[in-house]
Amino acid sequence: MKKISIMLFAGLLLILSSCGTSSNGELDKIVLADAGWDSIRVHNSIAQIIMEEGYGYETEVTSGSTAATVQGLRQGDINVYMEIWTDNIKELYEEATEAGDFETVSVNFDDNVQGLYVPTYVIEGDEERGIKPAAPDLKTVEDLKKYPDVFADPEDPGRGRILNAPSGWAVAEAINDKFETYGLDETMNNFMPGSDSAAVADLVDAYEAGRPWVGYYWSPTLVTAKYDLTLLEEAPYEEAVWNESKATEFPPNDVVVAVHKDFKDQAPDVYDFLSNYETSSALTEEALVYMDENSAEPDEAAIWWMNQHEDIWTSWVSEDVAEKVKEALQ
């Protein structure tokens, strides 16, 4: 029994130390969530630079699915979440907020869209590339079921293929519902890529070859900034219809910065900084394009972005913090 008690005590100490909390309740280390896409990684890097250089905190990133990282934020294993897509996880978000498990401190951006996209040349063609329109009458998501031959599944002759979001992403469930609601499953296969990078690779291969492609994506991303894509239409968003069948466009989505319930007391200076954090889809896509064109990592893109937009990020912090960060960026 003593051995078991000692092991449990040691395990408890390990858990406490991994959370980065000191004996006085303040944080020694701030843990941020990485839910698997590039824009959250860029915003993480911007926030980390400011936290480390401006406020003197150590930082760390925990990677996982949306569900896992949101649960980590609720439990306090994660302190900061730079991009919660609130309507993608509406029930979970509202439940956790009402329970007081975490707090939304700012809206990072709210000018985003998401849904099923096709390359514009599928509808309009591309004379310069010698591509003829393969589906000139394609307008809506529901129309897709008419085009299994255009979006042929290479592994299932006679049926088409639509790329869903990666498995484990909350939005994938909404697209599953759309398959049933619109009757897409009559002629099309619902394919879930293993990761965002796999979905992007599939799109890029098709786009560069001029082949038809259809799948889920969203903005702000490098994909929507770099490639000429058309978002397929759906009925305007109505909450009741969406809740019943998902037979509308995706709901407007505030993409927010949230922190664990104890964070305000643990790191009040950083809490104040994050309360001022605000960007836009266009600003975010600038960093993503820089990453692509320069084969840069998210932290490198963050440094470039901060040098380009000093007027923006310095408005989030005090003058003395801004000076520390500017000196570190030189």
Side-chain angles (χ1 to χ4, degrees), residues 8 33 68 70 88 104 151 160 182 197 202 217 221 230 236 238 243 251 285 289 300 304-305 321:
L8 289 173
V70 170
N88 285 0
T104 297
F151 303 103
Y182 294 135
S197 59
D202 193 76
Y217 227 73
T221 60
T230 293
E238 291 185 28
N243 290 338
E285 286 184 343
V289 170
E300 297 170 315
W304 172 84
W305 188 93
V321 169

Side-chain angles (χ1 to χ4, degrees), residues 163-273:
L163 259 73
N164 200 328
S167 56
W169 286 22
V171 71
E173 295 181 10
I175 295 175
N176 290 344
D177 290 343
K178 289 177 183 292
F179 258 79
E180 182 176 348
T181 295
Y182 294 135
L184 299 178
D185 49 3
E186 297 171 11
T187 60
M188 309 292 284
N189 292 331
N190 183 358
F191 181 82
M192 286 189 180
S195 65
D196 176 40
S197 59
V200 171
D202 193 76
L203 167 59
V204 171
D205 286 347
Y207 197 99
E208 292 182 351
R211 297 193 309 269
W213 182 94
V214 59
Y216 169 78
Y217 227 73
W218 75 98
S219 71
T221 60
L222 170 65
V223 166
T224 51
K226 182 176 181 179
Y227 299 104
D228 185 3
L229 304 176
T230 293
L231 179 66
L232 295 177
E233 297 174 8
E234 298 183 73
Y237 173 71
E238 291 185 28
E239 185 175 6
V241 177
W242 174 265
N243 290 338
E244 181 180 354
S245 65
K246 302 297 186 289
T248 74
E249 62 190 8
F250 278 83
N253 220 325
D254 284 347
V255 180
V256 304
V257 178
V259 299
H260 182 256
K261 64 181 180 180
D262 296 332
F263 189 73
K264 185 175 183 178
D265 295 326
Q266 295 170 328
D269 45 4
V270 177
Y271 175 93
D272 290 342
F273 145 55

Side-chain angles (χ1 to χ4, degrees), residues 78-235:
I78 290 171
N79 309 115
V80 174
Y81 211 122
M82 295 301 296
E83 264 193 42
I84 291 185
W85 289 63
T86 55
D87 264 277
N88 285 0
I89 55 166
K90 187 172 183 178
E91 290 184 9
L92 176 59
Y93 174 76
E94 290 179 349
E95 175 191 319
T97 301
E98 290 171 7
D101 295 335
F102 59 69
E103 176 186 354
T104 297
V105 294
S106 66
V107 177
N108 190 336
F109 52 86
D110 60 5
D111 55 341
N112 53 87
V113 294
Q114 58 182 323
L116 294 179
Y117 285 86
V118 298
T120 301
Y121 60 70
V122 171
I123 300 170
E124 300 179 6
D126 186 334
E127 186 175 348
E128 187 175 326
R129 297 178 65 190
I131 301 172
K132 295 181 179 181
D137 297 324
L138 175 62
K139 293 182 179 179
T140 71
V141 170
E142 189 169 9
D143 287 341
L144 285 170
K145 62 187 176 187
K146 305 173 187 176
Y147 297 99
D149 54 331
V150 172
F151 303 103
D153 188 332
E155 299 179 359
D156 191 359
R159 291 182 64 82
R161 185 179 78 167
I162 298 172
L163 259 73
N164 200 328
S167 56
W169 286 22
V171 71
E173 295 181 10
I175 295 175
N176 290 344
D177 290 343
K178 289 177 183 292
F179 258 79
E180 182 176 348
T181 295
Y182 294 135
L184 299 178
D185 49 3
E186 297 171 11
T187 60
M188 309 292 284
N189 292 331
N190 183 358
F191 181 82
M192 286 189 180
S195 65
D196 176 40
S197 59
V200 171
D202 193 76
L203 167 59
V204 171
D205 286 347
Y207 197 99
E208 292 182 351
R211 297 193 309 269
W213 182 94
V214 59
Y216 169 78
Y217 227 73
W218 75 98
S219 71
T221 60
L222 170 65
V223 166
T224 51
K226 182 176 181 179
Y227 299 104
D228 185 3
L229 304 176
T230 293
L231 179 66
L232 295 177
E233 297 174 8
E234 298 183 73

Side-chain angles (χ1 to χ4, degrees), residues 250-315:
F250 278 83
N253 220 325
D254 284 347
V255 180
V256 304
V257 178
V259 299
H260 182 256
K261 64 181 180 180
D262 296 332
F263 189 73
K264 185 175 183 178
D265 295 326
Q266 295 170 328
D269 45 4
V270 177
Y271 175 93
D272 290 342
F273 145 55
L274 292 174
S275 298
N276 296 322
Y277 198 103
E278 180 182 1
T279 65
S280 68
S281 290
L283 286 167
T284 302
E285 286 184 343
E286 286 183 22
L288 300 177
V289 170
Y290 178 86
M291 283 178 63
D292 178 66
E293 292 180 347
N294 296 275
S295 299
E297 295 297 319
D299 58 335
E300 297 170 315
I303 292 170
W304 172 84
W305 188 93
M306 293 176 74
N307 282 320
Q308 294 293 310
H309 297 290
E310 185 177 293
D311 60 320
I312 293 175
W313 68 262
T314 55
S315 70

Side-chain angles (χ1 to χ4, degrees), residues 6-83:
I6 291 171
M7 291 174 65
L8 289 173
F9 181 70
L12 179 60
L13 287 177
L14 180 62
I15 291 170
L16 290 173
S17 64
S18 68
C19 292
T21 307
S22 65
S23 57
N24 62 4
E26 296 180 352
L27 290 179
D28 296 323
K29 178 170 61 181
I30 296 173
V31 181
L32 298 91
D34 174 7
W37 53 88
D38 282 338
S39 60
I40 195 173
R41 291 169 181 150
V42 169
H43 287 295
N44 279 347
S45 295
I46 293 170
Q48 285 178 275
I49 290 167
I50 294 172
M51 292 173 185
E52 292 175 359
E53 304 298 342
Y55 296 101
Y57 287 90
E58 292 183 22
T59 68
E60 183 178 285
V61 173
T62 293
S63 300
S65 68
T66 299
T69 49
V70 170
Q71 184 63 20
L73 183 66
R74 296 186 74 172
Q75 294 175 338
D77 300 321
I78 290 171
N79 309 115
V80 174
Y81 211 122
M82 295 301 296
E83 264 193 42

